[in-house]
């Protein structure tokens, strides 16, 4: 795990513990790396429910309820699929009250309009329908920094950047929850 992530991971773990929030992940392009990174924190099992690694269309459909039609149009790297993944994993994990999902194309051989593109879905269970926020980001097409270039391929570097982005948005969402005393967790 890249060193800068260590503080971010601990921040997320602390916020989960403070808010008594249980989280679940749905991961495509990161293949479980977000979950594995958070799982390095001792004692996190009380608040970390797990992760569905859903690389293939059929897995997204069967495990999370993402419609096959949606996977064809607008496609697996889309806001709609990120939303469906976040809601699907939250609905299928009754003990979780928070979910994060990621889908994207980290290369190689990405279509030019999707190269480095990720969508992150953050979902929170409410008494009604889940509240969902979607983040669209394009990760760099080149590795910055000589040490990083030596340590990773562009794909691996992008995977770690994607993990960082998911955890950053989880941290920010959890921070907003802990500062809003009128909202139930």
């Amino acid at each position: 795990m890249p060193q800068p992530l260590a503080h971010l991971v601990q921040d997320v773990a602390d916020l989960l513990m403070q808010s008594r929030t249980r989280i679940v992940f749905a991961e495509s392009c990161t293949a479980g790396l977000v979950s594995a990174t958070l799982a390095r924190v001792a004692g996190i099992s009380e608040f970390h429910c797990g992760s569905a690694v859903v690389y293939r269309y059929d897995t997204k459909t069967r495990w999370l309820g993402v419609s096959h039609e949606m996977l064809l149009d607008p496609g697996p790297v889309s806001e709609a699929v990120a939303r469906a993944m976040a809601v699907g994993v939250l609905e299928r994990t009754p003990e979780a009250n928070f979910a994060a999902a990621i889908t994207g194309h980290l290369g190689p051989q990405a279509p030019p309009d999707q190269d480095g593109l990720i969508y992150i879905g953050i979902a929170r269970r409410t008494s009604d329908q889940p509240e969902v926020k979607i983040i669209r980001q394009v990760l760099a097409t080149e590795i910055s920094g000589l040490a990083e270039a030596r340590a990773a391929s562009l794909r691996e570097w992008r995977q770690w950047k994607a993990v960082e982005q998911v955890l950053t948005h989880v941290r920010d969402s959890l921070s907003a929850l802990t500062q809003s005393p009128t909202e139930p967790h």
Side-chain angles (χ1 to χ4, degrees):
M1 170 173 62
Q3 192 55 38
L5 278 179
H7 294 292
L8 177 59
V9 169
Q10 191 61 55
D11 288 347
V12 170
D14 291 345
L15 286 164
L16 288 168
M17 293 174 197
Q18 289 168 14
S19 64
R20 311 292 300 164
T21 298
R22 289 197 174 124
I23 193 166
V24 63
F25 298 97
E27 300 182 62
S28 185
C29 60
T30 52
L33 195 54
V34 177
S35 176
T37 301
L38 183 60
R40 291 173 173 237
V41 176
I44 199 63
S45 61
E46 176 67 27
F47 304 98
H48 179 5
C49 299
S51 182
V53 177
V54 290
Y55 242 50
R56 302 203 28 97
Y57 284 17
D58 196 46
T59 310
K60 286 178 178 76
T61 299
R62 292 178 186 260
W63 289 12
L64 302 179
V66 178
S67 78
H68 185 71
E69 293 77 19
M70 185 185 297
L71 290 166
L72 295 176
D73 185 25
V77 180
S78 65
E79 178 178 331
V81 169
R83 179 180 306 278
M85 287 172 59
V87 170
V89 77
L90 188 61
E91 288 175 348
R92 286 161 176 77
T93 313
E95 67 180 333
N97 45 9
F98 203 80
I102 183 166
T103 186
H105 206 317
L106 303 180
Q109 294 129 4
D113 64 326
Q114 292 183 359
D115 191 26
L117 178 62
I118 60 171
Y119 285 92
I120 300 167
I122 305 288
R124 183 173 69 93
R125 192 180 305 278
T126 66
S127 57
D128 228 11
Q129 295 293 322
E131 179 183 292
V132 184
K133 176 174 92 173
I134 301 295
I135 300 96
R136 177 190 188 277
Q137 290 186 272
V138 178
L139 302 176
T141 57
E142 293 181 15
I143 299 174
S144 62
L146 186 57
E148 291 170 321
R150 284 191 198 132
S153 69
L154 179 59
R155 179 178 174 74
E156 181 183 354
W157 182 83
R158 282 178 169 172
Q159 284 179 317
W160 282 113
K161 286 297 180 186
V163 168
E164 179 182 33
Q165 290 306 306
V166 170
L167 292 173
T168 295
H169 290 290
V170 166
R171 180 199 59 204
D172 295 349
S173 295
L174 289 169
S175 290
L177 277 180
T178 60
Q179 295 172 8
S180 176
T182 59
E183 290 293 321
H185 304 296

